[in-house]
Amino acid sequence: MNVTIEPIAERIGQQITNLDNVSILEIDKERIISLFKSDGVLLFRGFDTDTDIFREFSNLFSTDFIDYAGGAFARRVINGDKTLLSVNDFKTAIKLHGEMYYQQQIPLMLWFYCATPASEDGETTVCDGREFYQEISSSTKELFSKKRLKFTADFSKEDWQKKFKTDNLDKLAEMCAQNNTHLQINLDESILLEYVSPAIIPSRCGQYQVFINSLLPAKQISPDILKFDDNSEIPDEVIRELNEIAERITTNISWEKGDILMIDNTRILHGRRAFSDEKRNIYIRLCSPAFAF
Ligand SMILES: [Fe+2]
């Protein structure tokens, strides 16, 4: 098979580059699965792709696609397919995070597709949560072993109906129960949600600790929604330490048109750099691996 496979960067991932007009749908599936399991993030570059090929390729490896109900950002549905979404609708940077770690049911796997790269900036950032854990000071590790993260958010009736893609309170209550999220419904049908999660989780193989959560963007975008579960504040010096580590060990992925990125959302954090180009267009699919994982 005429492709090269080499690390995306010194410390992370594998890049599969097309050398000779190989169809992405014909590359060795078992090899991809094995690389995904060992490295957690794969970048496919130089293949002849479009939105349909992206969908077909990601379908080969994935199941249980979700429509992002309960998600934090506004995403557009692409080509009428509820499992093919735009990334969010603003241009500022987003710090490293695991996708949807503010609720229990996370997508285990993510796909990104670069329909149109930004003319400059707008890189997607990635980082291995195992490496992140190793960089954290022992005092901060100790703090996270004692205290969990508590996300609290209130929504007007109109806002939760949009966010959860339903206007039915029973259905909302069911979704919250499935997500271990405490739901308070007010008289005007506005709601208050509360969800507690650890900042550090064991890896799926059980051999590593992984720092993966939604802490950094929550503190960046809506600092009031996040505290520890005993209602104490997360100290500023801890946030500073985490931001310093994130910046130091992040890898930037400079998009090229047609790139596909496959991410293990139980291990690899992602984010993005700010950009100004209106034409930047990256799609996302949220799902689970269709193989033993
Ligand atoms: Fe994300």
Side-chain angles (χ1 to χ4, degrees):
M1 183 67 62
N2 212 354
V3 297
T4 55
I5 300 176
E6 50 196 20
I8 295 174
E10 193 186 333
R11 51 164 48 98
I12 194 166
Q14 294 289 338
Q15 178 173 325
I16 296 96
T17 309
N18 190 9
L19 294 180
D20 188 21
N21 263 339
V22 175
S23 160
I24 197 167
L25 299 172
E26 278 161 20
I27 54 182
D28 181 355
K29 204 175 148 189
E30 291 311 312
R31 181 93 172 101
I32 297 306
I33 291 172
S34 151
L35 286 170
F36 177 78
K37 287 182 182 173
S38 62
D39 291 82
V41 51
L42 305 181
L43 173 64
F44 300 87
R45 175 161 288 172
F47 294 92
D48 187 14
T49 55
D50 59 21
T51 309
D52 288 335
I53 292 173
F54 169 56
R55 197 165 31 198
E56 203 176 329
F57 182 61
S58 45
N59 283 346
L60 289 175
F61 299 92
S62 318
T63 182
D64 298 331
F65 288 91
I66 62 170
D67 66 2
Y68 197 57
F73 297 117
R75 299 190 191 277
R76 272 180 303 118
V77 169
I78 306 296
N79 296 350
D81 177 350
K82 283 193 292 187
T83 74
L84 181 63
L85 305 167
S86 69
V87 293
N88 59 50
D89 55 356
F90 51 95
K91 300 195 188 89
T92 50
I94 302 189
K95 290 180 184 287
L96 289 173
H97 60 282
E99 189 68 19
M100 299 184 88
Y101 270 70
Y102 43 77
Q103 63 172 42
Q104 175 113 340
Q105 294 178 324
I106 57 154
L108 301 178
M109 179 192 244
L110 311 176
W111 291 92
F112 290 91
Y113 174 64
C114 177
T116 311
S119 54
E120 56 179 344
D121 309 322
E123 299 93 337
T124 283
T125 52
V126 289
C127 161
D128 191 332
R130 295 181 189 175
E131 187 186 0
F132 204 124
Y133 173 79
Q134 286 167 5
E135 296 292 321
I136 297 173
S137 65
S138 41
S139 60
T140 298
K141 281 179 185 159
E142 170 87 9
L143 186 63
F144 286 136
S145 73
K146 289 194 183 126
K147 298 185 181 194
R148 294 185 300 164
L149 307 175
K150 184 167 86 172
F151 296 85
T152 308
D154 46 14
F155 298 97
S156 67
K157 182 178 175 182
E158 191 191 353
D159 283 352
W160 70 252
Q161 290 185 346
K162 209 151 70 178
K163 181 180 161 74
F164 287 90
K165 304 179 197 286
T166 179
D167 55 9
N168 183 321
L169 269 175
D170 292 336
K171 186 142 184 247
L172 173 71
E174 193 185 312
M175 288 166 89
C176 289
Q178 281 167 358
N179 272 306
N180 248 339
T181 297
H182 181 261
L183 165 67
Q184 177 190 309
I185 303 168
N186 303 316
L187 280 175
D188 62 356
E189 295 192 7
S190 63
I191 61 167
L192 183 76
L193 299 179
E194 217 172 76
Y195 175 66
V196 171
S197 75
I200 293 165
I201 57 171
S203 63
R204 295 183 69 80
C205 64
Q207 288 174 25
Y208 306 92
Q209 292 291 305
V210 184
F211 176 86
I212 188 163
N213 50 63
S214 293
L215 189 159
L216 291 177
K219 276 291 170 198
Q220 167 199 16
I221 298 167
S222 324
D224 296 341
I225 69 168
L226 185 58
K227 287 186 166 51
F228 281 127
D229 54 347
D230 62 359
N231 287 323
S232 62
E233 294 289 341
I234 302 171
D236 286 346
E237 63 264 29
V238 169
I239 310 290
R240 266 198 301 277
E241 176 193 345
L242 298 173
N243 275 317
E244 183 278 319
I245 295 168
E247 204 43 53
R248 181 157 46 81
I249 68 174
T250 287
T251 293
N252 293 320
I253 295 182
S254 295
W255 289 109
E256 292 183 12
K257 189 176 175 60
D259 280 354
I260 291 175
L261 191 65
M262 178 185 192
I263 287 184
D264 175 352
N265 192 40
T266 70
R267 168 178 168 191
I268 304 293
L269 299 102
H270 67 279
R272 70 130 190 267
R273 304 296 186 189
F275 61 98
S276 55
D277 184 356
E278 299 279 348
K279 295 199 191 70
R280 183 187 191 267
N281 214 352
I282 311 289
Y283 301 154
I284 185 169
R285 302 191 86 190
L286 313 155
C287 51
S288 292
F291 46 85
F293 175 55

